[in-house]
Amino acid sequence: VHTLHNATDTERFDPDRSAGSGAAVRERYGIPADAPLLGIVARINPWKGQRETIAALGMLSARHPQMRLMVVGAGPADEEEAVRRAASEAGVAERVVFAGRHPDVRPFLDAFDLFVHPSFEEPFGLAITEAMAMRKPVIACDSG
């Protein structure tokens, strides 16, 4: 019996090879270069913690009015609507970008200043190792 741990191709997720792809993502979605950008890469589901991260952004608003959050991923239409509604209710809808699902997340990881993985039911997601390979600070929570 051999244990196979999650693996990330560190050459593929090399920030030195992304050469400005993060700047292009920020430009595409209208995020100022100097705005702190938090990012989540995950399927939109209640246990992934997108709503809680949006609530945290709302709490940080007074101290960090330029801070933005980008949600990369998709999910069932009703859950996506609930997450958008949470942003509106928290008063941060204009600072939350829903980028949808993308097969290559490297440009998004390159754009983030901080990668957030607030999952309730995930022991250790591959997205965490990909963000770490891109040399991004990571906040990972498992409330389960």
Side-chain angles (χ1 to χ4, degrees), residues 24-47:
V25 166
R26 283 176 174 260
E27 185 176 328
R28 176 179 176 190
Y29 291 96
I31 300 167
D34 62 344
L37 180 60
L38 309 178
I40 299 173
V41 176
R43 177 171 165 78
I44 296 178
N45 275 316
W47 60 86

Side-chain angles (χ1 to χ4, degrees), residues 1-125:
V1 175
H2 297 278
T3 301
L4 299 177
H5 299 281
N6 285 345
T8 296
D9 182 345
T10 56
E11 287 186 24
R12 184 168 187 262
F13 285 87
D14 181 349
D16 297 331
R17 295 176 185 219
S18 61
S21 61
V25 166
R26 283 176 174 260
E27 185 176 328
R28 176 179 176 190
Y29 291 96
I31 300 167
D34 62 344
L37 180 60
L38 309 178
I40 299 173
V41 176
R43 177 171 165 78
I44 296 178
N45 275 316
W47 60 86
K48 292 293 189 174
Q50 287 99 347
R51 291 188 226 180
E52 289 76 11
T53 305
I54 288 168
L57 179 65
M59 289 185 262
L60 292 168
S61 291
R63 284 190 162 166
H64 303 282
Q66 297 301 316
M67 186 175 285
R68 305 286 197 280
L69 171 65
M70 181 174 281
V71 178
V72 179
D78 59 334
E79 184 58 25
E80 285 191 30
E81 179 55 37
V83 173
R84 289 177 189 273
R85 193 170 42 256
S88 181
E89 291 169 0
V92 295
E94 72 285 349
R95 294 191 292 126
V96 178
V97 175
F98 292 91
R101 185 185 176 285
H102 292 270
D104 185 0
V105 298
R106 290 173 299 168
F108 295 91
L109 293 172
D110 189 46
F112 301 160
D113 294 304
L114 178 66
F115 179 80
V116 182
H117 190 81
S119 178
F120 286 88
E121 297 181 12
E122 191 166 12
F124 192 80

